[in-house]
Amino acid sequence: LATPSFLTAILLILIFGVWLHVLPTNGVDAAAGYLLPSFALALVTLAMTAQLLDAQLREALASLYAQTARLRGLSEGRVLLTYALPNALVPVMAMLGNFAAAVLGGAIIVETVFALPGIGSLALDAIHYRDYPLLQGYVLFLGGIYVLVTLAVDLVLARMDPRIVLGGGD
């Protein structure tokens, strides 16, 4: 969790590209070229998601409704899938929506480390050449993406949890 994405990217290049010679370390000649950058971006989010899901599942499995389901004779797997998991996924989905901005911001560094052409590299070039309209467009584009992802997560959460009411009506 404490490892920054650029250090994770460098370690992934060292392990899978230099030592094991399994994956390409730069460029995108094939689909395998996207594996290391994707993993470098997703690793921190994956670790935090796993921690939160574990804590939420432990809390849900210890709750009264899970104990009641067990007393009714349901198997542990059925209690987990039917009762605990849907309730545990609500905060996890909310957290994943908030991590969208972190992943988009971390893409600049990971694209640079893996020498990938992308929107992060475009932003760095805009900074280097002082192309302020392009930089403003980049910020506006990422802001729009973040708003859309947040809206989609809110709609999914409202669908998952009937206690969430859309519209703020009284």
Side-chain angles (χ1 to χ4, degrees), residues 102-134:
V103 169
L104 290 173
I108 294 175
I109 297 169
V110 171
E111 284 177 12
T112 304
V113 170
F114 286 101
L116 294 174
I119 194 164
S121 302
L122 181 69
L124 282 177
D125 288 343
I127 291 170
H128 179 71
Y129 294 114
R130 295 188 176 133
D131 188 356
Y132 297 122
L134 180 60

Side-chain angles (χ1 to χ4, degrees), residues 65-127:
Y65 61 84
Q67 291 175 4
T68 304
R70 284 188 202 98
L71 290 174
R72 290 180 61 200
L74 294 176
S75 68
E76 193 65 30
R78 177 87 183 216
V79 171
L80 176 70
L81 292 176
T82 306
Y83 295 100
L85 190 60
N87 290 322
L89 283 178
V90 172
V92 171
M93 288 295 296
M95 183 193 70
L96 285 175
N98 289 331
F99 275 145
V103 169
L104 290 173
I108 294 175
I109 297 169
V110 171
E111 284 177 12
T112 304
V113 170
F114 286 101
L116 294 174
I119 194 164
S121 302
L122 181 69
L124 282 177
D125 288 343
I127 291 170

Side-chain angles (χ1 to χ4, degrees), residues 4-6 8-10 12 35-44 110 114:
S5 60
F6 73 89
T8 303
I10 292 170
L12 288 172
L35 288 177
L36 288 180
S38 299
F39 193 64
L41 279 175
L43 192 61
V44 172
V110 171
F114 286 101

